[in-house]
Amino acid sequence: MPTSSAVTTLIALFAIVSPITAIPVFLTLTAGRTPSERRSVALKTALVSGATLVVAYFLGEAILRLLSIDINAFRIAGALVIGGIGWSMVQGQKVALAASASGAAVVPLAIPLMAGPGAIAATITIRSTEGGAFWINIGVILALTVVSYVLFLAAQPLEKLLGETGLSIVSRIFGLLLISIAVSSAIGAVGELFPALLG
């Protein structure tokens, strides 16, 4: 795979995984946590999302086929979870953090917010179309993992810069964005499952 193709793949996955969109959710979920706890959540979120994409790259299609799960049904399920998080943010409600930091890092931050159905589907597609360059593709996923971690580390300075009011405004805006992403994903999945509905 040429270098330009690897960069294109990285940009495409970055847009789909969208760690920037996850930052307000990260700040909301880790509000009141110590800096060390936030760093732990940031690291685990990046690692879990990256590991999920690596597993999806090698085994995603086989796992879905084994469990008889249609990728569009998977997309709808992910959309429901993301939409619920977005709705809570728009309403200004405090999204409850899991009992442990590790729980929040896995759900909902890593899955399905970052390594969601769209990212998993894209990873499966990349494997099927560029399988011969799989080590470069894995390198791209690892690079995305590092970038995500760095962005989460920058979340706390961003919070200080925006202040409580600014963060509340940004949180609501990104909540609307999450709802839009969820609705768009659900509509696309329903359209593929029942093409006559949108025909």
Side-chain angles (χ1 to χ4, degrees):
M1 178 199 296
T3 302
S4 58
S5 181
V7 172
T8 300
T9 301
L10 176 60
I11 293 174
L13 279 180
F14 182 87
I16 297 171
V17 173
S18 191
I20 293 178
T21 305
I23 288 178
V25 182
F26 171 82
L27 290 173
T28 301
L29 289 171
T30 58
R33 295 280 170 157
T34 65
S36 62
E37 287 176 323
R38 280 186 163 181
R39 287 193 296 271
S40 176
V41 173
L43 178 60
K44 290 176 182 177
T45 299
L47 290 177
V48 170
S49 62
T52 300
L53 294 182
V54 170
V55 171
Y57 184 81
F58 287 108
L59 302 174
E61 188 174 2
I63 291 174
L64 292 179
R65 188 167 54 246
L66 177 65
L67 298 176
S68 300
I69 298 175
D70 188 276
I71 187 64
N72 292 304
F74 190 58
R75 288 171 60 190
I76 293 173
L80 291 174
V81 176
I82 294 173
I85 297 170
W87 180 255
S88 295
M89 293 173 67
V90 169
Q91 295 297 310
Q93 299 172 357
K94 183 177 177 62
V95 183
L97 183 63
S100 67
S102 299
V106 176
V107 179
L109 282 170
I111 306 169
L113 194 54
M114 293 176 62
I120 291 174
T123 304
I124 293 173
T125 301
I126 290 171
R127 172 63 190 271
S128 64
T129 56
E130 300 179 2
F134 70 94
W135 285 118
I136 295 179
N137 288 326
I138 294 302
V140 167
I141 294 174
L142 294 178
L144 179 59
T145 300
V146 173
V147 171
S148 298
Y149 177 58
V150 171
L151 287 174
F152 283 133
L153 291 182
Q156 190 168 4
L158 178 64
E159 182 180 33
K160 292 180 179 179
L161 176 65
L162 293 175
E164 185 175 347
T165 301
L167 184 61
S168 176
I169 294 172
V170 171
S171 179
R172 282 172 166 79
I173 292 174
F174 273 88
L176 282 172
L177 180 59
L178 287 180
I179 293 174
S180 300
I181 292 172
V183 171
S184 177
S185 178
I187 290 175
V190 170
E192 291 191 25
L193 283 172
F194 308 101
L197 292 179
L198 301 179

